[in-house]
Amino acid sequence: MIGAGAWGLNHVRVVASEPRCELVAIVDRDPAACARGKELAPGASVLHDPEQVFADPSIEIVVVATPAPTHANITCAALAADKHVLVEKPLALSTMDAQQIADSAARSRRVLMVGHLMVFHPAIARLRELLRSGALGFLHYVHSTRANLGRIRRDENALWSFGPHELSMLDHLLERSPVSVTARGQCVLQPGIEDVVFLTLRYAGGEMAHLHLSWLHPRKERRLTLVCSQKMVEFDDVAPEKLRIYDKGYDRPPQFTQFAEYLTLRDGDVYIPQLPMDEPLKLQLRHLLDCIATGGRPTTDIASALRIVATLEAAQRSLASDGVPVNLGT
Ligand SMILES: NC(=O)c1ccc[n+]([C@@H]2O[C@H](COP(=O)([O-])OP(=O)(O)OC[C@H]3O[C@@H](n4cnc5c(N)ncnc54)[C@H](O)[C@@H]3O)[C@@H](O)[C@H]2O)c1
């Protein structure tokens, strides 16, 4: 485990509780972080330099939860040392660094997985099934809010900090990249680092997604709404009932006599499916272990991470021009 800070400790807890793993070492430059990790995993040794892990052939898997600017170097070094790697989001802060990681992964025989956690959320798995089955009809648009009064970062703005979650969900649900992106934001607390970003994505089929990303917001909101032709769905990750499927919309009757009958309102039932309560971080780790055991390709593989970093980079360019749309191609 490299990086045992605020988030890394969650990995320490999850890895330490997974029967198929043995947490061999916790590496962090900060002795206090190591001590907190050691409390959760008393059997692990404490190290201060990732090189010590790379030099130990008995260590098979490296989890990287250090700050984003360090991901590229640590991940490439771990792959070169023949380790399987789970690296936290954002994979990198530029497509150049992300491509360098992709090149290292291509040279390696090991599994590289990116910690796009939301893809492993049971609600997202159900939402994907619903979309693929056609039960929701055609997707018109997505609206998403990821906001709270939360941790302010210095290495990255709200786009790079929160955007990977929303973009990985969209990539997984829609199974395609946007063709253009528009972003506008505001730097309130630190010069040059946007605390709030509003992002609009357009897709080749005409679908749109609007994302509100902010760590300067009165309360925690994690809501993804899909408006489709047959049903509308709301995924609210802070609510006890995570998924609500609304039988709402407008129908076009095959025959009508007056203009008022051309579209008829459907305001039907709301269905709340039962979802398994599995922790996404545990599911993510189990998926990594399965891929290592079977030689399978992770769902959150380098190809999907490259698409997400490319979208983030395009959004950053749009942000710099105060919202000029940036094309991503198809
Ligand atoms: N998937 C999620 O939901 C989620 C949530 C929060 C954070 N994250 C990601 O996890 C990563 C870490 O975030 P955090 O909030 O824990 O940050 P943090 O600053 O709290 O922790 C980072 C830790 O890494 C250590 N570190 C820095 N450079 C190091 C190096 N070269 N070698 C060893 N240790 C080093 C620091 O001492 C620190 O303890 C970030 O990429 C962040 O985006 C993901």
Side-chain angles (χ1 to χ4, degrees):
M1 182 68 228
I2 304 182
W7 184 248
L9 286 178
N10 287 311
H11 282 286
V12 171
R13 171 179 55 77
V14 163
V15 174
S17 70
E18 168 57 47
R20 285 191 281 169
C21 288
E22 182 195 348
L23 184 55
V24 181
I26 298 167
V27 189
D28 201 296
R29 285 176 175 168
D30 176 5
C34 290
R36 285 190 289 270
K38 185 92 176 152
E39 273 176 33
L40 294 169
S45 52
V46 163
L47 306 171
H48 298 291
D49 183 355
E51 288 300 330
Q52 294 167 278
V53 167
F54 305 150
D56 182 343
S58 74
I59 294 176
E60 292 175 78
I61 308 172
V62 169
V63 179
V64 183
T66 52
T70 66
H71 288 179
N73 281 348
I74 295 177
T75 304
C76 290
L79 288 166
D82 219 22
K83 312 295 183 197
H84 302 288
V85 183
L86 168 60
V87 54
E88 261 307 330
K89 49 73 26 188
L91 171 66
L93 295 176
S94 67
T95 46
M96 207 172 75
D97 280 356
Q99 190 56 54
Q100 188 197 341
I101 298 173
D103 294 344
S104 296
R107 284 192 296 272
S108 157
R109 295 172 298 130
R110 301 300 177 197
V111 174
L112 170 64
M113 182 166 151
V114 183
H116 288 141
L117 179 70
M118 295 310 296
V119 166
F120 300 94
H121 197 297
I124 291 297
R126 179 64 66 88
L127 205 40
R128 186 170 137 103
E129 277 168 26
L130 286 166
L131 270 172
R132 292 176 74 135
S133 72
L136 305 180
F138 301 108
L139 176 70
H140 293 313
Y141 75 89
V142 178
H143 184 266
S144 185
T145 304
R146 182 167 294 265
N148 57 323
L149 194 63
R151 169 107 182 246
I152 299 153
R153 294 195 183 261
R154 291 173 170 202
D155 297 325
E156 66 216 42
N157 58 16
L159 169 70
W160 288 84
S161 184
F162 291 159
H165 291 303
E166 315 307 301
L167 295 176
S168 59
M169 284 191 279
L170 291 174
D171 190 78
H172 189 57
L173 292 172
L174 275 59
E175 301 179 65
R176 56 191 179 275
S177 291
V179 291
S180 80
V181 53
T182 302
R184 299 184 83 188
Q186 211 180 9
C187 307
V188 180
L189 303 172
Q190 303 173 84
I193 299 178
E194 287 78 5
D195 309 281
V196 54
V197 176
F198 298 98
L199 199 67
T200 305
L201 310 169
R202 278 199 176 275
Y203 291 82
E207 308 92 337
M208 285 179 77
H210 185 69
L211 318 180
H212 170 194
L213 312 170
S214 174
W215 56 53
L216 190 59
H217 196 72
R219 65 193 177 93
K220 185 168 176 171
E221 287 184 55
R222 299 278 185 271
R223 196 178 305 114
L224 180 83
T225 307
L226 269 65
V227 173
C228 303
S229 56
Q230 294 300 316
K231 302 267 167 64
M232 301 182 186
V233 187
E234 210 174 58
F235 164 36
D236 187 345
D237 204 10
V238 295
E241 291 148 347
K242 305 274 180 225
L243 212 54
R244 283 169 184 265
I245 304 166
Y246 296 85
D247 185 12
K248 287 178 190 274
Y250 280 91
D251 293 326
R252 290 178 201 272
Q255 290 174 340
F256 57 92
T257 51
Q258 296 177 25
F259 180 71
E261 295 168 358
Y262 168 58
L263 288 171
T264 54
L265 177 70
R266 181 169 25 83
D267 194 2
D269 292 338
V270 183
Y271 174 65
I272 300 173
Q274 191 82 38
L275 293 173
M277 294 297 288
D278 299 317
E279 185 182 353
L281 202 62
K282 286 189 179 163
L283 296 174
Q284 177 179 269
L285 177 64
R286 287 180 199 151
H287 181 62
L288 172 69
L289 298 174
D290 291 344
C291 290
I292 292 169
T294 62
R297 190 173 58 82
T299 308
T300 53
D301 65 357
I302 183 68
S304 64
L306 281 172
R307 291 194 292 275
I308 288 159
V309 173
T311 306
L312 289 167
E313 201 172 67
Q316 185 65 46
R317 287 202 346 250
S318 178
L319 203 51
S321 64
D322 200 22
V324 173
V326 174
N327 289 332
L328 279 139
T330 49

